Amino acid sequence: MDIAEHEAWFQEYARKQRALETGDPGPIDLKLRHSLEVLRTARAIVAESPMPPELRRACLLAALYHDVARFEQYRRYRTFRDRESCNHGLMGVKILKRERRLDDEPRVLRQRVLAAVGLHNRFALPPALPGETALVTHVVRDADKLDILRIMHESLCGPKPYHPTVVLGLPDSPALVSETVLRAARERRVASYADLRSVNDLRVLLGTWLFDMHFAASRRQFATDGHARHLLEGLPEDGNYGETRAMLLARLAAVPCDAPADAMRACCLS
């Protein structure tokens, strides 16, 4: 699926945003790479998912543009935390409309891409979302989570102190524990960013994403690329986190990497 013109525009837009940055451009570079990695993963997901060409195109465009607002968000607010700045999904929709990036695409495709960009960062999708729009959004959300795991693994396996932007400004203190995050993991639910108290809580939250993968390809990558496993292994083996650490690692190891999607989802959620 050729979206080369869109990819070229996106990289030039990121370059211009970087040139406007008067401080550390590292977070902008990080988000550019992240967007391209999400696109790459989305290609792998749709390659294994039977869908018509126009729906594949919508998935790839939404993956490419899902974080188009991150550059301006960081330059304005010096953070990627939406609660402390702006909703980057909705801001992304405004930017795509302002830049007229989808004007040459069919109306229905344009609507699906804008919906996926605007909704990709929601904790949960609206239950009445049309099926094909939900599918496009789930492709983006799965691919987004998988690359965030890579970023977190690379960051948290490096030397301390961790970059505050990457770890959302959370303190790296074993004494700060969110029982709400641990309860979500025990109940096989995705934990919420709003409940995080520490970097260890963030590790647990990332592990709970196992329960919200929607495609066979994304579940397989989650289980096999090593990022989630390394992040979870970084949790304390005893104390408040020990039981949750062991449970999440066991669930990760139990994912049958060659199983059909429905069977894999049942394995992850049962």
Side-chain angles (χ1 to χ4, degrees):
M1 181 68 65
D2 182 14
I3 61 166
E5 187 273 334
H6 287 276
E7 293 179 67
W9 179 88
F10 184 82
Q11 295 208 50
E12 177 62 14
Y13 178 76
R15 186 194 65 78
K16 290 178 180 177
Q17 291 293 315
R18 190 184 196 278
L20 293 171
E21 172 56 40
T22 58
D24 176 14
I28 289 180
D29 295 339
L30 181 149
K31 285 301 179 181
L32 172 58
R33 180 184 173 189
H34 167 68
S35 296
L36 299 178
E37 289 290 338
V38 169
L39 173 60
R40 182 185 63 80
T41 300
R43 287 188 189 277
I45 294 172
V46 301
E48 294 189 17
S49 305
M51 61 181 75
E54 63 272 16
L55 205 54
R56 291 175 185 263
R57 184 174 182 84
C59 290
L60 299 186
L61 289 176
L64 174 66
Y65 288 134
H66 79 286
D67 267 359
V68 67
R70 287 301 205 183
F71 311 117
E72 291 190 30
Q73 180 189 40
Y74 179 72
R75 288 200 304 104
R76 289 187 190 181
Y77 303 103
R78 320 311 298 175
T79 182
F80 291 135
R81 297 196 75 169
D82 284 13
R83 292 175 62 197
E84 298 173 5
S85 55
C86 65
N87 183 319
H88 76 277
L90 297 182
M91 186 181 182
V93 172
K94 293 178 182 178
I95 290 172
L96 291 173
K97 289 181 176 180
R98 182 189 75 201
E99 300 291 334
R100 307 179 69 88
R101 287 313 306 146
L102 301 171
D103 284 8
D104 293 336
E105 301 292 338
R107 180 181 60 84
V108 173
L109 185 149
R110 182 167 63 247
Q111 291 173 340
R112 289 172 180 158
V113 172
L114 291 174
V117 171
L119 293 170
H120 83 274
N121 59 328
R122 291 272 295 266
F123 182 71
L125 297 186
L129 197 63
E132 291 188 334
T133 300
L135 185 148
V136 173
T137 309
H138 282 311
V139 168
V140 175
R141 284 162 69 89
D142 277 20
D144 190 24
K145 288 181 172 71
L146 288 167
D147 193 59
I148 291 172
L149 287 172
R150 174 192 63 80
I151 294 170
M152 292 300 181
H153 175 202
E154 292 177 357
S155 299
L156 298 186
C157 289
K160 298 182 181 181
Y162 305 130
H163 196 297
T165 300
V166 176
V167 298
L168 309 177
L170 293 165
D172 186 26
S173 173
L176 294 176
V177 181
S178 172
E179 290 297 334
T180 306
V181 168
L182 295 181
R183 186 182 313 115
R186 290 194 298 268
E187 295 175 357
R188 314 312 192 241
R189 294 186 288 108
V190 175
S192 170
Y193 281 107
D195 296 320
L196 297 176
R197 297 188 64 199
S198 67
V199 171
N200 280 337
D201 289 342
L202 179 59
R203 290 178 185 271
V204 174
L205 178 146
L206 295 169
T208 67
W209 285 353
L210 174 62
F211 308 124
D212 196 39
M213 292 284 110
H214 290 80
F215 301 90
S218 50
R219 283 186 285 276
R220 182 171 62 248
Q221 181 174 332
F222 196 107
T224 61
D225 65 13
H227 300 313
R229 178 174 57 80
H230 283 293
L231 286 163
L232 292 170
E233 287 175 345
L235 287 167
E237 296 186 44
D238 52 14
N240 292 299
Y241 292 100
E243 180 180 349
T244 300
R245 176 187 187 275
M247 181 273 292
L248 288 173
L249 284 170
R251 305 293 292 189
L252 189 64
V255 175
C257 297
D258 58 351
D262 287 347
M264 279 185 129
R265 188 162 179 78
C267 167
C268 291
L269 298 180
S270 62

